[in-house]
Amino acid sequence: MTHSSPSLDHLTAMARAAGLTARPRPAVGPHRHSRISVATGITIGTGTTAGQSAAEAAFLAFLRECASHQVGVDWSCPPAADLAGPALHHLPPPAAPHHAKAPDPHGTWRQRHRYGLCHFRRGPGFVSVKDSRAPDATAHFTLDDPDLRTVFLHALTPWPAHHLTSRQREAARLLVHENLLWQSPGGHLVTLPTRMLRWPIPATAV
């Protein structure tokens, strides 16, 4: 008999609050990770209405939290040019197409994905980000400007861009440019880097 963990229960509730049909699959055995199956098809990068934009941002926040807790996600996504780059490669990738001959625009995402590919740590008065999503480079960011730090941390919960002050909008623009924030076409912002809740051994692996 298996029992789901509090984090798995929380993440499943988070998915359902975002309007998804989610089914948890607790880990079995000492070397396996829990997973959540999401039955609802997701399209990222196309939500232009307020509701679609909020749902898209909520789903990305859900993927980010699953990655932070090392909980796998079974989900599917139709082909989308907006996802061709590495911005989401640190998040649980969508499944491969059912048919072997079908186009697979997200194959690189599945190949590149690993735990800790883009993560942050919070210190007194600053946020530190390590970003290894680009195949040939690693970037380090220290967010000690109050507006950058505020926008980054507030957008851990999806945040409508029209709620920002003028200074926060400029901070958000800079963070979006560095792929540390995702801004949906409908204007919702969500923080992309994951939190390091479990450090691998050796820690230099991330």
Side-chain angles (χ1 to χ4, degrees), residues 40 116 130 188:
T40 306
K130 182 178 180 180
H188 279 73

Side-chain angles (χ1 to χ4, degrees), residues 135-187:
D136 55 355
T138 296
H140 296 266
F141 302 90
T142 299
L143 309 180
D144 51 8
D145 174 82
D147 292 305
L148 287 172
R149 190 173 68 252
T150 294
V151 172
F152 183 92
L153 294 174
H154 271 68
L156 288 169
T157 299
W159 200 15
H162 65 264
H163 287 179
L164 275 61
T165 66
S166 59
R167 289 175 60 89
Q168 289 172 343
R169 282 195 294 271
E170 176 58 19
R173 185 189 67 79
L174 294 173
L175 293 169
V176 169
H177 177 74
E178 298 293 348
N179 285 326
L180 301 183
L181 284 189
W182 175 277
Q183 182 165 0
S184 67

Side-chain angles (χ1 to χ4, degrees), residues 32-45:
R32 298 188 181 185
H33 295 296
S34 300
R35 303 189 67 84
I36 296 176
S37 297
V38 178
T40 306
I42 301 296
T43 301
I44 298 173

Side-chain angles (χ1 to χ4, degrees), residues 34-128:
S34 300
R35 303 189 67 84
I36 296 176
S37 297
V38 178
T40 306
I42 301 296
T43 301
I44 298 173
T46 60
T48 55
T49 69
Q52 292 170 338
S53 177
E56 176 182 307
F59 180 66
L60 290 177
F62 162 71
L63 289 181
R64 184 199 65 227
E65 292 304 299
C66 286
S68 296
H69 287 273
Q70 292 185 280
V71 171
V73 183
D74 299 317
W75 66 287
S76 61
C77 179
D82 289 339
L83 304 186
L88 305 181
H89 285 180
H90 63 301
L91 303 179
H98 293 299
H99 303 290
K101 295 183 179 180
D104 185 12
H106 310 308
T108 301
W109 186 350
R110 286 190 299 279
Q111 293 169 5
R112 287 279 301 150
H113 173 70
R114 61 176 171 81
Y115 181 65
L117 199 62
C118 181
H119 64 271
F120 77 92
R121 292 184 292 172
R122 186 176 180 180
F126 72 92
V127 172
S128 176

Side-chain angles (χ1 to χ4, degrees), residues 21-33:
T21 301
R23 180 171 60 87
R25 294 162 52 195
V28 178
H31 303 298
R32 298 188 181 185
H33 295 296

